[in-house]
Amino acid sequence: MIRPVSEKQKTLFAKAINVHLNKQLGPSLNQTLITDSTDIFEVIHYKQWYIIYISTRITDELYLVYNAAPDKSSGYLTDWAGSAADGEGPAVEKWLKEDAPGIPQKLARCFAWHITDGRGK
């Protein structure tokens, strides 16, 4: 599920994500966010869903959850920043299913494991 993406795809994603961040997060920070392809650290992809790990250069790094490729989407559904401890996977999975309705269970479980028990493995 964690797959490398081409530089071309990263560039397309980064342009779209930049728009989404400035529409959805920028106003609450009272700042304009500037991101580019080098700010995309990781892409988790399953079926049409994407979870993008990105730096905003201002906030903590974020995981942005999309139900389509970022460049084909009007915005992300939810975001995750910060940490979770080993064993908190079920709580993270539950939160993700509530905040991103329709997310495939396999992707929700993978993400929850990735940021809890799987971190650093």
Side-chain angles (χ1 to χ4, degrees), residues 22-64:
N22 280 296
K23 183 173 90 178
Q24 295 175 252
L25 182 62
S28 65
L29 299 173
N30 200 26
Q31 291 193 28
T32 299
L33 303 164
I34 299 170
T35 58
D36 63 34
S37 63
T38 63
D39 296 312
I40 295 176
F41 301 130
E42 195 169 62
V43 176
I44 303 171
H45 176 223
Y46 182 69
K47 297 189 177 182
Q48 81 273 14
W49 287 75
Y50 287 81
I51 301 176
I52 312 288
Y53 187 42
I54 190 164
S55 170
T56 67
R57 304 180 190 184
I58 296 172
T59 67
D60 289 344
E61 286 83 14
L62 298 168
Y63 286 94
L64 303 175

Side-chain angles (χ1 to χ4, degrees), residues 8-9 21-22 31 38 45 58 60-61 63-64 73 85-86 110-113 115 121:
K8 180 180 177 183
Q9 195 172 26
L21 285 170
N22 280 296
Q31 291 193 28
T38 63
H45 176 223
I58 296 172
D60 289 344
E61 286 83 14
Y63 286 94
L64 303 175
S73 179
D86 287 354
C110 174
F111 176 74
W113 178 85
I115 65 165
K121 292 182 183 176

